[in-house]
């Protein structure tokens, strides 16, 4: 794993399945150095064999790529939201590393070129630190249990 001292979690099988599903929608939310939030769909997001989140960034100058560099340098949290059918999950994590050269990067580059016929800018890795189900029924029931008196009258 990383040289960083972070509290990594093992993602649940439900979350892994949702992330790996080709039909699921995955959104990566980052923040700029000025504190401006940015969210973008990242269809290439997946779970690695060692439990990290990984995605391919195709555009070197994208706002997500800039924000990921900022998050890597300054230890900022990023979030991933996954919607798979009626199930919704939130994963918070920290950026572990950016692959931009070397043998491992070249394997990913060749795969992206063969599949999409385009360049690959960066392979980003994120260490998951927190997982939470965000499905409506689950969140509603949790909020009612935590705040039973605050129901709308």
């Amino acid at each position: 794993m990383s040289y960083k001292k972070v509290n990594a979690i093992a993602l649940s099988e439900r979350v892994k399945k949702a992330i790996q599903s080709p039909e699921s929608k995955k959104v990566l939310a980052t923040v700029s150095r000025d504190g401006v939030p940015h969210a973008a769909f990242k269809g290439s997001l997946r779970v690695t064999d060692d439990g990290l989140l990984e995605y391919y960034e195709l555009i070197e100058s994208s706002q997500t790529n800039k924000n990921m560099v900022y998050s890597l340098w300054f230890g900022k949290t990023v979030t991933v939201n996954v919607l798979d059918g009626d199930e919704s999950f939130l994963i918070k994590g920290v950026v572990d590393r950016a692959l931009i050269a070397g043998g491992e990067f070249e394997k990913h580059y060749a795969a992206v070129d063969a599949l999409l016929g385009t360049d690959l800018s960066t392979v980003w890795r994120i260490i998951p630190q927190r997982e939470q189900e965000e499905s409506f029924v689950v969140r509603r029931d949790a909020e009612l249990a935590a705040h039973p008196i605050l129901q709308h009258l």
Side-chain angles (χ1 to χ4, degrees):
M1 187 135 350
S2 171
Y3 58 89
K4 295 178 182 179
K5 304 244 189 257
V6 298
N7 295 325
I9 65 160
L11 295 170
S12 70
E13 290 305 314
R14 286 177 66 211
V15 167
K16 288 180 187 178
K17 182 181 173 195
I19 291 170
Q20 302 296 68
S21 170
E23 289 83 35
S24 69
K25 306 295 183 229
K26 297 164 275 269
V27 175
L28 174 63
T30 58
V31 65
S32 73
R33 67 180 180 179
D34 298 324
V36 177
H38 176 75
F41 288 99
K42 296 295 175 186
S44 66
L45 192 89
R46 68 181 199 91
V47 179
T48 66
D49 291 339
D50 57 353
L52 298 177
L53 297 174
E54 177 179 84
Y55 88 92
Y56 298 149
E57 179 58 63
L58 305 179
I59 302 172
E60 184 81 29
S61 60
S62 75
Q63 190 62 53
T64 300
N65 209 43
K66 293 173 191 174
N67 291 358
M68 290 293 283
V69 170
Y70 174 73
S71 296
L72 177 64
W73 287 354
F74 297 103
K76 299 297 180 186
T77 300
V78 299
T79 60
V80 172
N81 288 86
V82 182
L83 177 63
D84 189 31
D86 291 336
E87 292 188 314
S88 177
F89 302 98
L90 170 76
I91 302 108
K92 292 184 180 182
V94 293
V95 181
D96 179 52
R97 67 186 61 177
L99 301 176
I100 58 171
E104 190 175 355
F105 174 79
E106 289 176 13
K107 283 189 243 178
H108 293 290
Y109 187 97
V112 168
D113 185 42
L115 184 66
L116 302 174
T118 190
D119 289 341
L120 173 62
S121 166
T122 312
V123 177
W124 285 102
R125 299 242 171 97
I126 300 165
I127 299 172
Q129 294 184 297
R130 182 171 167 222
E131 165 190 316
Q132 178 175 315
E133 185 166 356
E134 290 287 312
S135 304
F136 171 72
V137 172
V138 170
R139 293 302 311 139
R140 180 199 62 204
D141 292 350
E143 290 300 319
L144 285 173
H147 311 286
I149 235 155
L150 294 180
Q151 295 182 43
H152 186 73
L153 299 177

